[in-house]
Amino acid sequence: MRTRQGETFVWGNGFALPKEIIKNWGRVKNIIWREKRNTILALFFITLLSSVIVFLQSGAQGLLVNELIKTAGTNLLNPYLIGLIFISTLPTLAPSFLYTIQDYLERSFRLYLEEKFDVLVIKKKGELDVATHENPTQKDLFNKVAEEMWRLRNFVDRQFYIISGIVEVAIASTILLFAQWWIFLIVLVGTIPELVAETRYGERVWSIHSKRSEERRKYWELQGHFNTLPSLIELKLFQNTYYFLSIIKDLFRGFRKEEDKNERIRLRNELLVLILSQCVMAFALVYFVLEIVKGHILIGTMLFLFGSVGSLRRSLSGLFSNLGRQYQDNLFLTDTFKFLDIKPVIQKPEKGIILPPHETPGIIFDHVSFAYPGTDKLVLKDFSLRITPGEKLAIIGINGAGKTTFVKLLCRFYDPQEGKILINGHDIKTIDLESWYYQLGAIFQDYARYHFLVKETISAGRTSDMPSLERVKKAAQSSEADTFIEAWEHTYEQMLGKDFAGGVEPSIGQWQKLALARTFYRNPSILILDEPTSSIDAEAEAKIFEKLEQLPKDKTVILI
């Protein structure tokens, strides 16, 4: 019995391994069947036909050899011989035709799978709450899913090869069971170790990836510093390039050490299995040669039966190898479905209270205490605050005092352990979050940098409305972004980001002004600004604050 994180895999039970594969395949099929039913059926039919043709060709060629031996030197070409020639030739042409169609369908299907499941994962990430994204355990799962998405496509593709293997094994087994059942048994027993070896290899691969998830996350985080210009500049100026590189090498080598050991075990097992299977083939060949010598079977029959032994061995070997690899990919696919099944930490009410869209609500923090998950340290303790509609206030405190945490609670990224947060007199837990977010406009210390056209970057503040260039320009003026936008060659049609054709790279201060413009474009009832001018020059900062003071009286402004 082998166990991983509460799941049990029983090697002694032949159905324990396929059970989880079948379960996950069922979930995959439910996702793709409606949109790609005809493609799946076509691939299944071609796979089935291709498997049968191999044995039709082998059988026809065996009969052809027997007939040729019988008619050799007679100078006669009877209808039976002509028929065998035709049957032997036809399967030679058919596979090429089938494989061409199969290749087209598989490539088209693979592109569909890539889009379908990438979109599913991206959608899920967008639906999950901030509390889930900030959970280190969930981050490990997120990274595994992102790194191993290719396994899902392999998992689906391989299903057809497994079906082909099952069909070929069934046909070859039937032939040998009628000829010599014990040869079938020897071939079966001689091939089973390949399944065990491949499956154990797959489990070790999954175990290595799971055990070192945090190290892999650290590896990718460190590698990311070599992909962004600001980080590269600091690495060079602080002479840290080789220091970071040495850390990356140590992480990589530590991870590769276990992988190399696993690969050596796999090589040893594969060689042992190969020797065993070749012994089985040699034994079958000697047996059939002796049967011919004794006159018990004809040469063509021997070729057909020996070909069936080879087909059975290859089919079993391929089937077991594919099942082992399927099991390996299935372990990662199970993680993908675990990710898709994650429930948000913040539970939304089934029928939440809808806030009036154009009425600024009052806000009350009533004796709120909060500690982040995984720690008992209270960031906010018995905190109370009342914000009336249209109030303009600044919250000041030292680093770590809980200012950003206050904003996260207000946005309901987390729920407090004690106390209540009231919006218009209603507990925030009872309010429809989408109607609450409609009221909010927030810019955090870590703001988004969209590599769009300037007008698209700003109008992303309210994508539910039709884009308005007039509103974009007004928002840019409010954030003091219009001065540098007008200086760019294409002004509001300018592409942002040096990685794109014709793109410009704004300075840190310019990016912050663009983010602020996006918030002004949103025109929210409640404006939350977490150090919104930290990278902006003093003159522009004074003008922005002046414009904030001039906002309508019904607009609430919370300045951190």
Side-chain angles (χ1 to χ4, degrees):
M1 181 178 290
R2 301 174 68 83
T3 307
R4 69 173 180 88
Q5 295 187 355
E7 295 185 26
T8 303
F9 303 97
V10 185
W11 293 107
N13 182 350
F15 295 97
L17 184 143
K19 185 178 180 181
E20 192 183 9
I21 294 177
I22 293 169
K23 176 184 174 184
N24 281 338
W25 169 245
R27 289 194 65 172
V28 171
K29 184 183 72 65
N30 290 338
I31 293 171
I32 64 178
W33 178 255
R34 182 178 296 179
E35 296 178 8
K36 286 292 179 179
R37 178 177 55 189
N38 291 339
T39 302
I40 293 170
L41 290 174
L43 283 170
F44 174 77
F45 175 75
I46 291 173
T47 300
L48 192 66
L49 195 58
S50 299
S51 301
V52 173
I53 284 175
V54 174
F55 291 93
L56 285 176
Q57 185 178 25
S58 177
Q61 287 175 348
L63 293 173
L64 179 61
V65 169
N66 286 342
E67 189 64 21
L68 286 172
I69 292 171
K70 187 187 300 183
T71 58
T74 63
N75 203 28
L76 294 175
L77 193 64
N78 59 60
Y80 179 62
L81 184 58
I82 294 172
L84 288 175
I85 294 171
F86 176 76
I87 295 172
S88 298
T89 305
L90 185 62
T92 304
L93 302 174
S96 300
F97 177 76
L98 290 174
Y99 293 153
T100 301
I101 297 175
Q102 185 179 20
D103 183 58
Y104 164 75
L105 291 174
E106 284 179 348
R107 281 187 281 111
S108 173
F109 193 44
R110 202 172 292 120
L111 290 172
Y112 163 78
L113 290 172
E114 183 175 1
E115 177 189 349
K116 183 69 177 179
F117 284 95
D118 280 358
V119 169
L120 267 180
V121 169
I122 292 169
K123 180 185 175 187
K124 184 65 179 182
K125 286 182 177 179
E127 291 173 347
L128 288 173
D129 49 29
V130 174
T132 303
H133 280 281
E134 291 186 343
N135 184 326
T137 304
Q138 301 293 14
K139 283 183 180 180
D140 289 338
L141 184 59
F142 291 177
N143 286 345
K144 275 201 290 185
V145 169
E147 290 177 20
E148 305 295 340
M149 277 300 292
W150 58 273
R151 291 183 181 274
L152 190 146
R153 295 187 288 274
N154 284 359
F155 180 88
V156 176
D157 283 345
R158 199 177 290 114
Q159 287 296 126
F160 297 103
Y161 294 108
I162 289 174
I163 291 170
S164 174
I166 291 171
V167 173
E168 289 176 9
V169 167
I171 296 173
S173 299
T174 303
I175 293 168
L176 291 179
L177 282 170
F178 276 101
Q180 290 293 350
W181 63 269
W182 52 270
I183 292 181
F184 160 75
L185 194 60
I186 290 174
V187 174
L188 178 63
V189 172
T191 315
I192 284 177
E194 187 164 348
L195 172 62
V196 177
E198 193 66 39
T199 305
R200 287 182 175 172
Y201 166 78
E203 190 174 31
R204 286 193 299 270
V205 169
W206 182 89
S207 178
I208 292 169
H209 279 249
S210 296
K211 186 169 61 175
R212 291 184 173 268
S213 290
E214 189 165 341
E215 291 180 34
R216 289 179 67 84
R217 183 151 45 89
K218 188 175 181 181
Y219 169 83
W220 288 113
E221 193 274 331
L222 286 169
Q223 192 189 71
H225 290 295
F226 290 83
N227 297 329
T228 57
L229 188 59
S231 292
L232 272 173
I233 291 172
E234 184 170 319
L235 285 173
K236 287 178 178 294
L237 291 178
F238 282 53
Q239 299 174 302
N240 279 332
T241 300
Y242 290 102
Y243 172 71
F244 273 61
L245 189 61
S246 67
I247 298 174
I248 289 172
K249 283 182 177 179
D250 288 342
L251 286 170
F252 190 77
R253 285 168 182 166
F255 192 75
R256 285 294 303 171
K257 186 176 180 181
E258 287 193 64
E259 285 193 330
D260 287 340
K261 181 181 177 182
N262 192 27
E263 292 299 330
R264 286 194 298 271
I265 293 172
R266 185 189 193 189
L267 175 62
R268 181 199 66 194
N269 292 339
E270 284 183 341
L271 290 173
L272 291 173
V273 167
L274 182 62
I275 291 170
L276 181 61
S277 63
Q278 290 303 315
C279 288
V280 170
M281 288 298 296
F283 174 81
L285 179 60
V286 170
Y287 171 78
F288 286 126
V289 168
L290 291 174
E291 288 295 286
I292 291 175
V293 172
K294 294 175 184 178
H296 294 167
I297 59 174
L298 298 174
I299 293 176
T301 306
M302 184 278 284
L303 291 174
F304 173 60
L305 291 176
F306 185 69
S308 297
V309 171
S311 295
L312 178 60
R313 188 192 67 81
R314 286 191 300 273
S315 300
L316 277 172
S317 176
L319 177 61
F320 289 164
S321 177
N322 281 323
L323 280 174
R325 289 173 183 155
Q326 198 74 333
Y327 175 63
Q328 177 183 337
D329 289 345
N330 182 73
L331 294 173
F332 289 93
L333 183 57
T334 299
D335 287 331
T336 301
F337 283 126
K338 281 181 182 178
F339 164 75
L340 293 174
D341 291 338
I342 292 175
K343 302 296 182 186
V345 175
I346 302 301
Q347 297 298 315
K348 296 180 181 180
E350 289 187 12
K351 293 183 178 180
I353 297 168
I354 306 293
L355 296 172
H358 303 295
E359 180 182 319
T360 304
I363 300 167
I364 297 175
F365 275 63
D366 184 18
H367 299 284
V368 168
S369 294
F370 174 75
Y372 282 100
T375 176
D376 296 327
K377 182 181 178 182
L378 290 174
V379 182
L380 295 177
K381 184 177 181 181
D382 197 29
F383 175 77
S384 294
L385 177 68
R386 181 185 294 269
I387 303 173
T388 58
E391 187 174 352
K392 315 292 191 289
L393 78 156
I395 298 177
I396 302 171
I398 62 173
N399 291 339
K403 304 184 297 297
T404 300
T405 300
F406 159 75
V407 175
K408 288 182 177 181
L409 291 174
L410 182 59
C411 296
R412 210 193 163 200
F413 295 162
Y414 294 91
D415 285 330
Q417 281 83 19
E418 295 180 14
K420 289 184 178 180
I421 301 172
L422 304 175
I423 309 297
N424 257 6
H426 304 290
D427 191 326
I428 195 171
K429 295 178 183 178
T430 65
I431 290 174
D432 178 80
L433 273 182
E434 291 304 313
S435 74
W436 175 227
Y437 289 161
Y438 185 88
Q439 302 261 16
L440 299 179
I443 175 173
F444 290 88
Q445 296 174 39
D446 295 324
Y447 45 84
R449 302 182 182 189
Y450 299 124
H451 290 162
F452 300 155
L453 299 179
V454 169
K455 64 180 183 181
E456 295 170 342
T457 297
I458 295 174
S459 64
R462 184 77 77 179
T463 54
S464 57
D465 295 348
M466 286 292 293
S468 166
L469 185 58
E470 183 182 346
R471 280 177 62 188
V472 166
K473 291 181 177 181
K474 185 178 179 181
Q477 290 168 2
S478 297
S479 70
E480 293 295 308
D482 60 317
T483 53
F484 62 83
I485 293 173
E486 296 290 349
W488 283 336
E489 181 181 359
H490 301 295
T491 62
Y492 290 91
E493 299 289 335
Q494 179 65 55
M495 184 68 198
L496 300 177
K498 282 284 190 181
D499 293 338
F500 300 91
V504 298
E505 189 62 43
S507 67
I508 295 175
Q510 289 172 338
W511 275 119
Q512 192 165 34
K513 287 179 181 179
L514 289 168
L516 194 56
R518 190 159 55 247
T519 310
F520 282 127
Y521 182 92
R522 186 169 179 78
N523 190 27
S525 300
I526 301 171
L527 195 61
I528 305 168
L529 305 172
D530 191 352
E531 298 188 25
T533 58
S534 58
S535 302
I536 296 175
D537 60 90
E539 183 182 350
E541 182 182 36
K543 291 180 180 179
I544 291 169
F545 284 146
E546 184 180 330
K547 289 170 183 174
L548 286 173
E549 291 175 1
Q550 295 171 1
L551 286 173
K553 292 183 179 180
D554 64 337
K555 301 290 184 182
T556 297
V557 178
I558 302 171
L559 185 63
I560 307 297

